[in-house]
Amino acid sequence: MIIAIDGSAASGKGTLAKRVAAEFGYDYLDTGALYRAVALSLLNAGAKSSNIDEKQAVKAASTLDLSLTQTAEIRTDQVAALASIVAAIAPVRAELLSLQRAFAATPPSGKGAVLDGRDIGTIVLPNADLKFFVDADLDIRAERRTKELLQAGQSVMFRDVLADMKARDDRDRTRSVAPLKAADNAITIDTSTMDAAAVLALALSHIDRVCPSE
Ligand code: DC
């Protein structure tokens, strides 16, 4: 069973993906962490967000140190913004594609895989068994992200988080390559007024409908 979960930043897609994977003993891949790791390796090499060299970005993706995906450093808004910039470069996406497909084809558990991102249902795994598209109002997402960053000890202001998130959303939705959008056969969940438990319960009801034996 392969489940694709796409959605906007701070929509709750990551939390949902992790919980669905835990529920069934499936493996989870946070594909945003791959783009964030490429961005972090560029920043570590001295790159500036305002002036990204495409060749350098492609090299960073093709020689990516996957251990970076597990670091706290990739979770800053600076890294997120640069991740969204490098994610618009087609050869960067191409470098990361086979890794994502291989994970879904042979998940370590041998049981199933849940991948979350922006283009999982549309490009990476168009034949996924089930696709969700998770979204929420921009203000609510920015509030959630502000809380998360404050809890992580970063000093941020709602106003700045909102502006960054809007810029990132616009870039992710309007880029020419693999833009953020719902796959034709995706189930859309608007999490604006739902907590994580309610989102999980709704997703599980859909999974049960499609695959009652799970
Ligand atoms: O899911 P996230 O916020 O960690 O993703 C960071 C950025 O990476 C996001 O703004 C766009 C990019 N991304 C992408 O283009 N495709 C994916 N499948 C996952 C993330």
Side-chain angles (χ1 to χ4, degrees):
M1 175 92 160
I2 296 178
I3 301 177
I5 304 184
D6 290 304
S8 50
S11 59
K13 67 182 185 316
T15 301
L16 175 63
K18 270 180 236 152
R19 290 186 176 198
V20 167
E23 182 79 21
F24 299 113
Y26 292 172
D27 295 294
Y28 164 57
L29 182 64
D30 168 6
T31 67
L34 298 173
Y35 293 92
R36 286 172 180 261
V38 172
L40 179 61
S41 69
L42 286 168
L43 289 172
N44 287 346
K48 297 265 173 296
S49 302
S50 53
N51 187 19
I52 288 299
D53 177 67
E54 284 206 16
K55 274 198 190 134
Q56 195 190 357
V58 176
K59 179 133 189 275
S62 66
T63 57
L64 187 61
D65 171 4
L66 286 176
S67 70
L68 288 179
T69 62
Q70 307 301 321
T71 61
E73 284 81 9
I74 65 165
R75 296 293 158 197
T76 67
D77 268 11
Q78 187 199 10
V79 170
L82 184 54
S84 157
I85 291 169
V86 298
I89 302 172
V92 167
R93 303 196 72 82
E95 286 295 341
L96 300 176
L97 191 57
S98 52
L99 188 155
Q100 298 171 70
R101 286 187 175 154
F103 182 89
T106 52
S109 66
K111 290 169 84 179
V114 183
L115 284 80
D116 77 4
R118 302 290 187 288
D119 63 337
I120 307 303
T122 51
I123 307 283
V124 179
L125 302 168
N127 297 322
D129 298 294
L130 201 57
K131 300 175 185 178
F132 291 102
F133 187 79
V134 185
D135 207 353
D137 290 346
L138 176 64
D139 277 21
I140 290 172
R141 290 187 287 118
E143 235 167 67
R144 289 177 187 161
R145 179 53 53 88
T146 306
K147 260 192 210 151
E148 260 172 39
L149 292 171
L150 289 174
Q151 272 166 8
Q154 297 182 37
S155 86
V156 291
M157 291 203 334
F158 171 76
R159 198 181 53 220
D160 300 331
V161 173
L162 180 72
D164 286 353
M165 192 169 276
K166 183 169 182 337
R168 187 148 73 98
D169 266 9
D170 289 347
R171 207 163 30 231
D172 291 346
R173 287 182 204 271
T174 59
R175 68 185 176 214
S176 58
V177 52
L180 167 64
K181 66 172 181 192
D184 288 342
N185 50 352
I187 296 157
T188 295
I189 301 180
D190 184 333
T191 67
S192 301
T193 59
M194 295 170 85
D195 65 14
V199 176
L200 176 66
L202 180 58
L204 291 180
S205 71
H206 285 291
I207 296 169
D208 186 52
R209 186 175 45 76
V210 170
C211 193
S213 60
E214 282 301 325

